[in-house]
Amino acid sequence: MKWFLSFVAFTGIQVILAAPPLVKRATVNDVATLGYATLNGGTTGGSGGTSTTVTTLAALTAAVAGDAKKVVIISGTITGNTAVEVGSNTSLLGKSGSSLVGVGIRVLNVNNVIVRNLKISKVLAEAGDALAVQASHQVWIDHVDLSSDRDHDKDFYDGLLDLTHGVTGITVTNSKIYTHWKASLIGHSDNNGAEDTPITVTLASNYWTNLSSRTPSFRFGHGHIFNNVFDSNDDGINTRDGAQLLVENNVWTGTNKPLYSTDGGFAVATGNDFGGAANTAPVGTFTSAPYSYTKLAASAVRAAVVSTAGQTLSF
Ligand SMILES: *[C@@H]1O[C@H](CO)[C@@H](O)[C@H](O)[C@H]1NC(C)=O
Ligand SMILES: *[C@@H]1O[C@H](CO)[C@@H](O)[C@H](O)[C@H]1NC(C)=O
């Protein structure tokens, strides 16, 4: 009996220790510290600018417009069927528990934007992608939570995270990308090489799960993909059209093509755990990223990434 009681107490303590949500304190003035977003003068968004909290679609749309330096914080749930365009020099942040439903975010023809801790779901194809970055430079996307469902036709929704039309200086960190057909298109189309060859994207410490394709589909540019976890997606990373990827210390389960090329892309792959499947992508020339970074061993990635990915910051 004594033994039994102390066993209960012990397991009870373990439950309590596991209970607190994994919330990481962040500040509204944080700037990008990792990857391509740190190059070319860095990505500071609206750090140090005016701060506005919004709770309606109209207030959000007005607050993020224009190139003045500004921090915009979303509170509560905002629903709609549209995309909101973000101006340059903006940090767009979500409070804990905030959510955009049917409302996509578009970073189009601008520079120096930070998007953090946003939860975006179920953006209909007619409104566009959940989060689209097009023809823009120096963008840091961090701790976003992007999803829809797979209960409809695959074109009912568009992409979750599409980075196209010559985007450079893009870093995506600690995000959760899940339950969707076509997850992430990087590089617009096979005939868009002139615009998309300069693309530079870092994808680090993201959790990709329950997706069909495009995890991501990567055309033409340079991509550094490290310390991500990919679980139960139909496809893996598709390197295409001369893309040069550096793929390091990622973990996959549940796909038989974790890293492959359909049309002439390349990858240098080291330290990955392909979950028993094989990398079939031709070996490329991108062997060293042009910035310093630390990476976890593949064996440590799952524990570090899965529970902290998505909307887990508090401002
Ligand atoms: C905002 O961004 C533009 C273009 O990226 C830049 O030229 C301008 O100086 C910035 N403005 C402020 C207020 O930081
Ligand atoms: C995966 O997606 C399907 C289809 O939308 C959904 O029913 C299921 O709950 C999802 N699975 C997980 C683990 O989220």
Side-chain angles (χ1 to χ4, degrees), residues 204-237:
S205 301
N206 303 296
Y207 184 39
W208 309 67
T209 187
N210 205 21
L211 302 163
S212 179
S213 63
R214 302 184 183 170
T215 68
S217 157
F218 203 124
R219 290 187 174 98
F220 298 110
H222 281 69
H224 183 204
I225 304 177
F226 71 98
N227 284 170
N228 295 271
V229 176
F230 302 89
D231 281 341
S232 304
N233 306 313
D234 297 336
D235 294 347
I237 298 171

Side-chain angles (χ1 to χ4, degrees), residues 122 148-152 178-180 209-211:
K122 297 187 191 290
S148 66
D149 58 58
R150 292 167 66 176
D151 304 337
H152 301 87
Y178 61 105
T179 307
H180 191 81
T209 187
N210 205 21
L211 302 163

Side-chain angles (χ1 to χ4, degrees), residues 22-33:
L22 285 150
V23 173
K24 184 182 153 198
R25 275 189 210 290
T27 84
V28 299
N29 292 317
D30 290 345
V31 304
T33 57

Side-chain angles (χ1 to χ4, degrees), residues 30-156:
D30 290 345
V31 304
T33 57
L34 181 68
Y36 281 111
T38 64
L39 303 184
N40 300 318
T43 301
T44 55
S47 182
T50 56
S51 177
T52 313
T53 297
V54 298
T55 59
T56 66
L57 182 57
L60 168 63
T61 304
V64 295
D67 293 343
K69 191 160 70 164
K70 58 199 170 298
V71 175
V72 177
I73 304 169
I74 296 173
S75 175
T77 299
I78 297 176
T79 58
N81 180 13
T82 188
V84 172
E85 278 193 31
V86 178
S88 292
N89 314 315
T90 304
S91 293
L92 175 59
L93 314 173
K95 271 197 178 306
S96 296
S98 69
S99 175
L100 297 179
V101 180
V103 177
I105 295 296
R106 188 166 303 158
V107 179
L108 172 64
N109 279 320
V110 295
N111 296 321
N112 192 30
V113 171
I114 293 173
V115 178
R116 299 182 82 193
N117 218 43
L118 290 201
K119 179 172 186 173
I120 307 176
S121 65
K122 297 187 191 290
V123 179
L124 299 181
E126 65 202 57
D129 303 315
L131 179 49
V133 184
Q134 301 172 355
S136 296
H137 310 284
Q138 304 318 121
V139 178
W140 179 34
I141 295 165
D142 179 56
H143 282 280
V144 298
D145 176 307
L146 307 175
S147 71
S148 66
D149 58 58
R150 292 167 66 176
D151 304 337
H152 301 87
D153 172 86
K154 71 179 174 59
D155 296 318
F156 187 76

